[in-house]
Amino acid sequence: MDWRKSEQRGKQWWAWLLLLLLSGWPVVTTAHGSGTPHLVNVAAGPYQIWVWSSPDPVRLGEIHFSVAVAEPDAGRVDLTVQIDLKPMTPVAEAFTVQTVKYTRWLEPYYETDFVIPAPGDWRATVQVTGPSGNGAAAFAFTVLPPPAVNWTLLSWGVLAVVALLGGLWV
């Protein structure tokens, strides 16, 4: 009878350990208005803009920018928001990305995903065009090389081995 209680406790211990590991797992979030702020309530002509990027720190590979624009008119007009990206050293060619308009909580915002071709220091210029006029604001950011170790893949591998061993032991 005691061996059954011991076996049940072992299974419960592994279930709690797995639950603890999964609940503490860092969640990767897409920007959608979150991330590292680069511009906060900055005047761009007749507009006020906010810009966030993800991931943090910005690394070589896919990058996500979110842009929020406060319009001088209370109306919800369609704006054109584009981002010009230029390396501060001659490591790559400058390029422009267009944003896509989304609405969250009845407020419009703009997003884009793109790939930076080289690490280094870059300058982003956000340009807004709409019925109230044109505006632009710029910021600098650094793109780091990709990480040497893929920690996400390594962590999932360790978790899988621990779960497998736990399942075999119980």
Side-chain angles (χ1 to χ4, degrees):
M1 183 84 83
D2 283 342
W3 65 271
R4 287 186 186 160
K5 286 184 180 180
S6 175
E7 182 179 328
Q8 186 177 9
R9 281 191 196 127
K11 287 180 182 178
Q12 287 176 347
W13 185 86
W14 278 106
W16 280 110
L17 178 63
L18 184 60
L19 181 64
L20 178 66
L21 287 172
L22 290 176
S23 68
W25 193 262
V27 177
V28 177
T29 58
T30 57
H32 297 290
S34 64
T36 304
H38 293 283
L39 297 175
V40 177
N41 200 20
V42 172
Y47 308 101
Q48 295 296 115
I49 65 172
W50 293 256
V51 179
W52 300 267
S53 71
S54 178
D56 182 31
V58 175
R59 293 195 175 272
L60 198 58
E62 188 171 290
I63 299 170
H64 181 93
F65 276 1
S66 293
V67 180
V69 180
E71 305 164 34
D73 300 327
R76 304 276 190 265
V77 298
D78 284 332
L79 302 173
T80 300
V81 179
Q82 71 178 27
I83 303 171
D84 299 324
L85 295 137
K86 181 180 180 185
M88 297 175 102
T89 58
V91 295
E93 294 290 321
F95 62 98
T96 299
V97 293
Q98 298 296 324
T99 63
V100 177
K101 181 180 178 181
Y102 294 96
T103 303
R104 185 199 306 169
W105 299 310
L106 303 176
E107 292 294 326
Y109 67 99
Y110 302 83
E111 292 189 346
T112 186
D113 294 301
F114 57 94
V115 175
I116 291 269
D121 293 326
W122 287 76
R123 182 173 185 79
T125 303
V126 180
Q127 296 188 28
V128 181
T129 304
S132 298
N134 301 330
F139 62 92
F141 65 101
T142 300
V143 177
L144 300 176
V149 176
N150 185 340
W151 289 106
T152 302
L153 183 62
L154 182 64
S155 299
W156 277 112
V158 168
L159 181 63
V161 168
V162 167
L164 180 64
L165 291 175
L168 293 174
W169 180 65
V170 174

